[in-house]
Amino acid sequence: MIGGAEQAPRTRAERTGYLETSRHADVVAFLDSLRGRPELTFGSIGRTNEGRDIPYVIASRPRVSTPEDARRLGRPIVYVQGNIHAGEIEGKEALLSLLRDLTGSRRPNVLDSVVLIAVPNYNADGNEKFASQEVNRGSQNGPEMVGVRANAQGLDLNRDYIKAEAPETRASLAMFNAWDPHVFVDLHTTNGSYHGYALTYAPPLNPASPAGAFTRDSLLPVLRQRMRERRRFETFDYGDFISADTLSKGWVTFDSRPRFGTNYYGLRGGISILSEAYSHDPMRRRVASTYAFVSEILSLVSERAAQVMSVSQSSRQRAIPLRPSMVAARDSTPVVAEIVESTGDSTRTEPGVPRGRRRTGRFIAVRMPVFDRFSPTLWQTEPAAYIIARSDTQAVRALRHHGITVDTIARSWRATVEVFTIDSAVAAPRSFQGHREMRLEGRWAPEERTMQAGSLIVRTSQPLGILAAYLLEPQSDDGLATWNYFDATARPGAEFPVLRTLTLPPAISR
Ligand SMILES: [Zn+2]
């Protein structure tokens, strides 16, 4: 329904021939005009820093309005988020069009077999900070005016999933806790490399993600094939060339750390998919490829409903990979690159391309290693529980934001626990997102201790057990210690304030 005769109502992108993107008020007005359609429930996931409600829409036949309704239907719940980086506008526009096109007619479609939760304008404050694309999105081919990447606090929401400092992040964690979606899809635009794909994608990349391999090896190859055959879009693993000059060096994905939303969602045990439209495609084509990709995801999830639901609820590993490093699983795969040449002067040939450079429209396939996955370099076996002092209120509050159950040791308890002694504590030389990230080294050793009644305990047998371990382990590459929650004791010789236990105390209360 993109590009042709759109139905009413029309999005701002559609009305302007893809020259403009929706303001927050346009999003709200568009959704208001869908009210009354029998498949839809409307709500707000929470408020931004500047007080805007972040709208969500639940689409399903029959209609569901609560998580209990959704669970009773026994179908996959798919959460799709647009505009986390405002400026990367295609997710927002595609989701609005898709909500319209899937509803208001009696024809059977995916809403008969999945529950769709759509959050089209997640970074609603960033969306309103309009400036020229050249300023806000230097390597993007229009539209002329777009919002900014960060939220109103200046935080990159796609680096905030662990530390959860933004109200937007806390609102989305609350949605995850309430609805427990089987699949999370985060919609973006690439940042510049010249390749031959309308859209690139990634599964949860952290090797601790129970559904990571299933997403990578069973879902994404099918989506790639369907995007080519049914939608005429070439797609590939998200990444960038190691060297634009020597393409054959390889193609690398981004990062495995769960500060990124799709990696975070993998640690929660769910399936997640990162979608990145190609920033050098014109806006109309970027919206169309994103629309097609989300449509194909919904259709594949509905076909494989039983498998998707069992994979995303399943299997916890007993050993948690804490520090992964990137590896190439495929040697010598053809990757399509566009040849970009020098103009010999300083003219700007098109928006999103640096001065003095010109796209040629000529593509070459170069064989190179594809670095699309991570392999653990440091593992930690999962304990029965972590013990944390009641006085660590910030950390405990953070655990609760993530939906992790924190219980209380009801009676004083003497047991052999594991204590982590810090050998080295190194803060990053530069500040990132307002933090100097902390990296701890050290060792766990057994020791007999008495835990006072009232000490807090986090059991790993809960549904979010892997995530709890990743947050609480001192050597995790993206845990609470990384984000300075435990800086007070971060020095050589000190004891890390979280203990591990392989047995559970006899008396635990909520
Ligand atoms: Zn992005």
Side-chain angles (χ1 to χ4, degrees):
M1 294 292 174
I2 294 277
E6 292 107 3
Q7 307 172 32
R10 297 167 81 206
T11 64
R12 182 156 183 166
E14 292 165 347
R15 289 198 313 269
T16 61
Y18 295 88
L19 294 175
E20 295 177 15
T21 188
S22 304
R23 305 297 296 243
H24 184 64
D26 297 316
V27 172
V28 171
F30 184 90
L31 295 178
D32 277 347
S33 67
L34 299 181
R35 279 180 196 268
R37 297 199 174 187
E39 306 89 344
L40 300 181
T41 298
F42 298 83
S44 161
I45 75 166
R47 286 250 167 102
T48 63
N49 286 287
E50 294 177 350
R52 294 185 178 88
D53 271 312
I54 305 168
Y56 71 75
V57 181
I58 318 262
S60 167
R61 269 193 303 235
R63 185 214 307 260
V64 304
S65 32
T66 66
E68 294 69 38
D69 289 350
R71 276 194 274 280
R72 227 171 284 128
L73 288 178
R75 343 168 146 161
I77 301 172
V78 183
Y79 188 110
V80 188
Q81 174 172 280
N83 221 34
I84 181 170
H85 290 146
E88 302 175 14
I89 46 78
E90 29 295 294
K92 174 182 61 180
E93 301 297 346
L95 274 178
L96 295 177
S97 302
L98 187 63
L99 284 168
R100 172 197 62 210
D101 297 344
L102 286 174
T103 56
S105 112
R106 296 238 175 119
R107 275 186 307 166
N109 65 32
V110 289
L111 297 186
D112 299 303
S113 42
V114 303
V115 173
L116 168 63
I117 303 177
V119 181
N121 192 25
Y122 178 47
N123 183 4
D125 288 352
N127 189 68
E128 296 309 283
K129 310 261 181 310
F130 260 41
S132 78
Q133 160 267 315
E134 211 176 322
V135 171
N136 281 354
R137 285 281 301 154
S139 59
Q140 180 167 293
N141 188 354
E144 199 180 316
M145 300 294 287
V146 293
V148 295
R149 181 179 180 91
N151 78 346
Q153 292 158 283
L155 292 180
D156 185 332
L157 295 177
N158 203 28
R159 305 293 183 274
D160 193 45
Y161 276 94
I162 291 297
K163 60 188 169 65
E165 290 175 333
E168 293 88 350
T169 309
R170 293 181 186 178
S172 75
L173 297 186
M175 286 292 284
F176 294 161
N177 293 335
W179 291 86
D180 201 12
H182 300 90
V183 181
F184 169 61
V185 183
D186 201 19
L187 304 174
H188 293 251
T189 317
T190 57
N191 280 341
S193 65
Y194 298 91
H195 57 61
Y197 308 103
L199 186 142
T200 48
Y201 48 70
L205 289 170
N206 193 292
S209 315
F214 171 76
T215 310
R216 182 188 66 210
D217 299 334
S218 298
L219 295 182
L220 291 172
V222 179
L223 289 170
R224 184 181 190 201
Q225 187 188 357
R226 290 181 178 182
M227 284 290 280
R228 173 183 293 148
E229 287 170 3
R230 299 180 181 178
R231 309 278 179 162
R232 307 280 166 228
F233 286 116
E234 289 298 326
T235 64
F236 195 59
D237 296 278
Y238 176 76
D240 200 352
F241 299 103
I242 292 174
S243 158
D245 299 322
T246 315
L247 294 173
S248 59
K249 280 190 177 164
W251 177 257
V252 286
T253 190
F254 63 112
D255 200 309
S256 69
R257 288 173 295 179
R259 61 189 62 186
F260 297 87
T262 48
N263 294 337
Y264 171 77
Y265 209 72
L267 284 193
R268 291 185 70 105
I271 290 168
S272 63
I273 299 174
L274 171 77
S275 163
E276 297 265 356
Y278 183 43
S279 68
H280 297 296
D281 273 343
M283 174 176 167
R284 179 191 294 272
R285 184 172 155 87
R286 300 201 310 267
V287 177
S289 61
T290 303
Y291 181 103
F293 192 58
V294 175
S295 304
E296 291 296 343
I297 290 171
L298 293 175
S299 133
L300 184 59
V301 166
S302 86
E303 274 172 52
R304 304 219 177 150
Q307 199 181 13
V308 161
M309 287 192 293
S310 80
V311 165
S312 80
Q313 286 159 359
S314 72
S315 68
R316 301 169 335 92
Q317 295 170 313
R318 298 309 301 176
I320 314 275
L322 296 176
R323 286 187 193 161
S325 69
M326 196 186 278
V327 292
R330 287 181 257 161
D331 267 351
S332 204
T333 302
V335 179
V336 177
E338 182 174 0
I339 298 168
V340 178
E341 55 188 26
S342 171
T343 60
D345 55 27
S346 64
T347 43
R348 184 178 290 287
T349 53
E350 72 178 73
V353 175
R355 291 176 186 284
R357 308 282 289 164
R358 178 197 300 122
R359 296 174 64 188
T360 61
R362 296 200 308 277
F363 293 87
I364 45 169
V366 179
R367 299 193 78 90
M368 63 185 78
V370 171
F371 294 86
D372 67 343
R373 62 197 64 193
F374 289 81
S375 162
T377 54
L378 177 70
W379 295 74
Q380 187 53 258
T381 54
E382 195 181 52
Y386 293 90
I387 297 164
I388 180 166
R390 189 166 278 283
S391 55
D392 265 315
T393 50
Q394 298 278 23
V396 171
R397 198 173 305 136
L399 293 169
R400 292 199 164 116
H401 282 310
H402 286 278
I404 290 164
T405 303
V406 181
D407 296 320
T408 303
I409 300 179
R411 286 195 304 274
S412 129
W413 174 53
R414 188 153 183 84
T416 302
V417 295
E418 294 180 8
V419 179
F420 187 82
T421 305
I422 297 169
D423 292 333
S424 88
V426 178
R430 268 192 296 277
S431 168
F432 175 73
Q433 301 287 306
H435 289 263
R436 289 183 62 204
E437 294 168 69
M438 179 59 69
R439 188 171 174 99
L440 300 178
E441 309 291 352
R443 63 214 125 73
W444 290 102
E447 210 172 289
E448 202 165 320
R449 288 278 172 97
T450 301
M451 260 65 62
Q452 300 306 321
S455 301
L456 301 176
I457 185 162
V458 178
R459 284 182 278 187
T460 58
S461 61
Q462 59 182 301
L464 297 179
I466 292 175
L467 178 62
Y470 215 93
L471 291 167
L472 289 172
E473 282 288 339
Q475 290 178 291
S476 152
D477 72 348
D478 204 2
L480 295 182
T482 313
W483 295 105
N484 312 116
Y485 279 85
F486 300 118
D487 270 13
T489 53
R491 57 178 183 276
E495 178 182 317
F496 189 67
V498 178
L499 307 177
R500 294 158 48 96
T501 174
L502 302 179
T503 56
L504 290 175
I508 293 180
S509 58
R510 274 289 155 92

